[in-house]
């Protein structure tokens, strides 16, 4: 995907997520997401912050989190999640056409963020949210090659991941097959992907996930 195609996909995902969230009940917002310790509300708040956090604020928040990147991301989301749900939805919708990037990120980062966090919200609520193939493939490539914070190549060393619905495969070893959507969730560290995968390499996957 070229840069314009990536941003078009980000825009579509953000609008779609805003529509999904707008239809949720108050109870749905408080349900646990696929992210351990995160409610649906917290994931949505994290997405709402995507285009608003500056380098200066990120540094302040990192100090506040005593240098822990994971704690910083979690705590900023939880604090933002105290806002009314309608405000969070509108922030995500307003961000759809923005090309502003969070510090130290590239355009593929907000794309995989929207794709994966969309599933973090939808899956536990029993909502089917199908990822577009090309954006999902680009996001999977990005995570595979990125390193921090996923370290997918190290985590899945000795395995070959093969998509069944698009031309994508990485790694060497015992095969793990699945849709590119399931494989993207896998390399992003989501155990929810496991039921949708097959192959000899699936036997020890649980131990490789957080």
């Amino acid at each position: 995907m070229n840069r314009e195609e990536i941003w078009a996909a980000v825009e579509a995902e953000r609008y779609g997520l805003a529509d999904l969230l707008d239809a949720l009940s108050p109870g749905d917002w408080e349900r646990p997401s696929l992210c351990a310790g995160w409610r649906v509300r917290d994931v949505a708040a994290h997405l709402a912050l995507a285009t608003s956090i500056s380098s200066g604020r990120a540094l302040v928040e990192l100090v506040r989190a005593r240098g822990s990147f994971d704690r910083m991301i979690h705590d900023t989301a939880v604090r933002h999640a105290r806002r009314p749900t309608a405000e969070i939805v509108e922030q995500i919708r307003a961000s759809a056409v923005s090309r502003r990037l969070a510090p130290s990120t590239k355009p593929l980062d907000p794309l995989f963020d929207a794709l994966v966090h969309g599933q973090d919200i939808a899956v536990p609520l029993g909502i089917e949210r199908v990822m577009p193939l090309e954006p999902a493939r680009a996001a999977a490539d990005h995570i595979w090659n990125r390193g921090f914070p996923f370290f997918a190549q190290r985590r899945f060393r000795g395995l070959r991941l093969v998509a069944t619905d698009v031309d994508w495969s990485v790694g060497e070893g015992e095969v793990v097959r699945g849709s590119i959507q399931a494989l993207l969730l896998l390399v992003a560290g989501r155990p929810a992907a496991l039921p949708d995968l097959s192959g000899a390499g699936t036997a020890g996957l649980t131990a490789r996930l957080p």
Side-chain angles (χ1 to χ4, degrees), residues 99-116:
R99 296 193 175 188
R100 183 175 180 182
L101 290 166
S104 302
T105 64
K106 300 176 181 179
L108 281 168
D109 291 300
L111 178 58
F112 85 68
D113 221 32
L115 289 169
V116 172

Side-chain angles (χ1 to χ4, degrees), residues 177-201:
R177 294 187 182 86
S179 67
I180 192 64
Q181 177 165 325
L183 291 173
L184 173 55
L185 290 179
L186 178 69
V187 296
R190 284 4 184 222
L194 297 178
D196 298 319
L197 301 172
S198 63

Side-chain angles (χ1 to χ4, degrees), residues 144 156-161 170-174:
W144 182 257
F156 300 107
R157 184 178 292 122
L159 298 177
R160 182 163 180 79
L161 312 183
V170 293
E172 297 292 338
E174 291 189 318

Side-chain angles (χ1 to χ4, degrees), residues 46-66:
H46 170 68
L47 290 166
L49 286 167
T51 61
S52 64
I53 192 161
S54 65
S55 297
R57 182 180 172 190
L59 181 59
V60 169
E61 294 292 352
L62 187 60
V63 171
R64 188 175 185 180
R66 300 187 296 281

Side-chain angles (χ1 to χ4, degrees), residues 75-210:
D75 290 354
T76 55
V78 170
R79 284 194 293 271
H80 199 74
R82 297 168 184 159
R83 296 168 183 260
T85 58
E87 182 178 339
I88 293 171
V89 171
E90 285 313 306
Q91 287 175 336
I92 294 173
R93 185 170 282 116
S95 76
V97 296
S98 173
R99 296 193 175 188
R100 183 175 180 182
L101 290 166
S104 302
T105 64
K106 300 176 181 179
L108 281 168
D109 291 300
L111 178 58
F112 85 68
D113 221 32
L115 289 169
V116 172
H117 285 317
Q119 299 301 312
D120 290 336
I121 292 168
V123 171
L125 296 178
I127 299 171
E128 184 178 12
R129 182 170 174 79
V130 179
M131 292 184 190
L133 294 180
E134 288 304 317
R137 175 165 60 178
D141 259 338
H142 184 58
I143 290 179
W144 182 257
N145 292 307
R146 176 178 173 167
F148 178 85
F150 302 105
F151 302 107
Q153 292 189 36
R154 184 176 68 192
R155 186 187 298 275
F156 300 107
R157 184 178 292 122
L159 298 177
R160 182 163 180 79
L161 312 183
V162 180
T164 55
D165 53 354
V166 69
D167 182 16
W168 188 80
S169 61
V170 293
E172 297 292 338
E174 291 189 318
V175 172
V176 175
R177 294 187 182 86
S179 67
I180 192 64
Q181 177 165 325
L183 291 173
L184 173 55
L185 290 179
L186 178 69
V187 296
R190 284 4 184 222
L194 297 178
D196 298 319
L197 301 172
S198 63
T202 59
L205 278 180
T206 301
R208 296 173 183 257
L209 294 170

